[in-house]
Amino acid sequence: MGDVMKKVVIIALIILGLIIIGNFVYKYINKTAEQDPKMGNSEISDDLQPVWVEIAQAARGDIITYISETGMTLPVKSVVVAAETAGRIVQMDVKVGDFVQRGDTIAVVDDEIARLALDQAEAQLINAAAAYEKARKDLQRYQVLLKNEEVSESEFENVRVQHELARSAFLSAEASVKSAQRQVRNTRISAPISGQIAEKNVQTGNMIIMNQPVVKVVDIGEIKVIVRISESDISKIRKNIPVAVYADAYPGFEFMGTVFTLSPEANPESHTFPVEIIVPNNQQKTLKSGMVVRVNIQSDVLENVLLIPRDAVIERFGRNIVYIVDGQKAHERNVEIGQVKGEEIQVVSGIEPGETVVIVGQYNLEDGTPVRIK
């Protein structure tokens, strides 16, 4: 008797356990069906229970289309400042990143030799000027003597030749002084443009030679971006059209520029056309040279097109559909979609302006499902 009771209790417990598990599975499946819109809601459809939905109205608006490319920032103005004289650097106070104005002193080369050369040239000029003045007076005097037939033609010719030689010597000495003065000025290396020091190639105490690079100055008040546009898109771009520029270094920040130049010649290998974009920098000079940026070039404006929220469009069996609310029921419509504008999408055909589309709850609908609007 005891064994029989034990078996009955065990069987009862097993049955109770199966009931509990079955109930749990049933609730889980129902909950999953409610949370997963792709499973549909056949129970609602079969029982014709209203589905709570949110709606929006189809309306007309404009869409701006863009061509998106990636490029690299470059300074509009960039100058490598080279030495115009040889010697030892005796002063150089700038460092990379410093701002300089046009004409500011960047470095100073020892000018002792240059000044000695200038002193010598000036002394030679004084002597040449005195000799030239004497020769000029002699020529004037001999012109009078020749006219009075007091000197011969050959004597006058000798004086004239001496005058020409003295004049040439004076002009040469004058040019030597100007050259020596230039050499003295060249010992002071100055900024040819306003901007920032991007590279520094020498230090105080270094010996430099003629044409040796000293610093690189860049002006990033304006930045240029070179992008390469495909054959299919180049006809959509025009000079001066607006361009939005985005840098990964500044997420969420937008810089605005314009198309500056379009090359008439494609790269023979990539078959793309170089397009130069000019972007005014802000006061903080946020954009730097050498950054990788993304650009959106405005290519077209679609005016007065029909727009609905993107969430209203769902794909089923390879078709794009929306649900239109008519009265208290939702009706399925096939739609042809076009361009995207943020959270909106263009509808080319399938619905009319003013019709109401479901934007929340659409995954639980079928054609003819009763709805209630939240």
Side-chain angles (χ1 to χ4, degrees):
M1 185 68 178
D3 293 337
V4 174
M5 287 300 295
K6 288 181 180 179
K7 290 180 180 179
V8 171
V9 171
I10 292 172
I11 292 172
L13 290 173
I14 291 173
I15 293 172
L16 180 61
L18 291 173
I19 292 173
I20 293 172
I21 292 172
N23 184 56
F24 175 81
V25 171
Y26 175 79
K27 290 182 177 180
Y28 176 80
I29 291 173
N30 283 345
K31 184 177 181 181
T32 303
E34 292 175 358
Q35 293 178 347
D36 188 354
K38 294 183 179 179
M39 293 182 64
N41 198 333
S42 59
E43 183 180 346
I44 291 176
S45 178
D46 293 340
D47 297 339
L48 298 179
Q49 295 296 318
V51 177
W52 288 99
V53 297
E54 293 182 19
I55 60 174
Q57 196 172 59
R60 293 197 175 276
D62 298 338
I63 292 182
I64 301 175
T65 60
Y66 298 93
I67 297 169
S68 297
E69 290 293 342
T70 301
M72 181 173 290
T73 58
L74 297 167
V76 172
K77 296 179 182 178
S78 175
V79 178
V80 175
V81 183
E84 295 185 79
T85 189
R88 185 181 300 278
I89 299 288
V90 295
Q91 179 184 336
M92 189 170 193
D93 299 326
V94 298
K95 59 183 181 297
V96 172
D98 284 353
F99 285 91
V100 293
Q101 297 295 321
R102 180 180 180 182
D104 285 354
T105 298
I106 292 174
V108 177
V109 179
D110 185 0
D111 64 354
E112 182 179 359
I113 295 176
R115 289 196 176 278
L116 288 174
L118 176 60
D119 291 342
Q120 184 178 2
E122 288 175 339
Q124 290 175 347
L125 177 61
I126 292 173
N127 293 333
Y132 178 43
E133 179 63 18
K134 179 180 180 302
R136 186 183 65 80
K137 290 180 178 179
D138 287 345
L139 180 62
Q140 289 177 342
R141 184 165 58 85
Y142 268 74
Q143 285 174 335
V144 174
L145 293 174
L146 179 64
K147 184 177 181 180
N148 295 332
E149 297 183 350
E150 296 180 15
V151 294
S152 65
E153 289 283 350
S154 61
E155 289 176 318
F156 174 78
E157 183 63 20
N158 287 335
V159 172
R160 189 190 66 78
V161 170
Q162 291 301 317
H163 173 268
E164 289 299 319
L165 291 174
R167 179 176 178 276
S168 296
F170 170 74
L171 294 177
S172 177
E174 196 174 48
S176 295
V177 169
K178 290 180 179 179
S179 177
Q181 289 173 338
R182 180 179 176 83
Q183 289 301 314
V184 171
R185 289 196 302 270
N186 287 345
T187 60
R188 175 181 171 272
I189 302 172
S190 58
I193 63 171
S194 298
Q196 278 183 282
I197 304 296
E199 294 178 8
K200 181 179 177 181
N201 302 307
V202 297
Q203 304 287 341
T204 300
N206 289 161
M207 290 294 297
I208 59 173
I209 60 175
M210 185 82 73
N211 297 323
Q212 180 176 338
V214 177
V215 295
K216 181 179 181 180
V217 182
V218 298
D219 179 3
I220 57 173
E222 287 185 321
I223 291 290
K224 66 180 176 182
V225 181
I226 307 296
V227 295
R228 301 191 177 278
I229 304 300
S230 66
E231 293 176 331
S232 59
D233 287 333
I234 191 64
S235 62
K236 304 173 186 176
I237 298 177
R238 302 176 307 281
K239 188 176 179 180
N240 296 325
I241 62 176
V243 181
V245 180
Y246 307 93
D248 290 340
Y250 308 106
F253 198 88
E254 181 180 77
F255 300 87
M256 292 304 300
T258 55
V259 172
F260 185 62
T261 62
L262 296 87
S263 174
E265 183 177 18
N267 182 292
E269 296 181 359
S270 64
H271 301 287
T272 56
F273 293 81
V275 173
E276 182 177 321
I277 299 161
I278 299 297
V279 185
N281 217 339
N282 53 26
Q283 290 184 346
Q284 293 74 30
K285 304 294 188 294
T286 302
L287 283 176
K288 310 298 183 185
S289 178
M291 284 184 168
V292 176
V293 294
R294 292 169 290 107
V295 302
N296 286 341
I297 306 173
Q298 181 178 318
S299 61
D300 197 7
V301 178
L302 304 177
E303 297 180 341
N304 199 34
V305 297
L306 189 60
L307 300 172
I308 61 173
R310 292 173 62 181
D311 290 341
V313 181
I314 60 178
E315 184 178 349
R316 283 187 180 168
F317 306 108
R319 298 178 297 123
N320 291 312
I321 65 171
V322 298
Y323 282 97
I324 302 296
V325 175
D326 184 9
Q328 295 183 346
K329 290 187 177 182
H331 298 283
E332 183 179 300
R333 293 273 188 88
N334 293 325
V335 292
E336 180 184 353
I337 58 176
Q339 299 290 333
V340 175
K341 176 188 178 183
E343 296 301 316
E344 295 182 306
I345 192 168
Q346 176 192 7
V347 178
V348 179
S349 64
I351 62 174
E352 298 296 328
E355 289 192 298
T356 302
V357 296
V358 177
I359 59 173
V360 174
Q362 64 272 39
Y363 289 98
N364 295 325
L365 300 178
E366 294 180 357
D367 191 33
T369 301
V371 294
R372 288 183 183 175
I373 299 172
K374 292 183 180 180

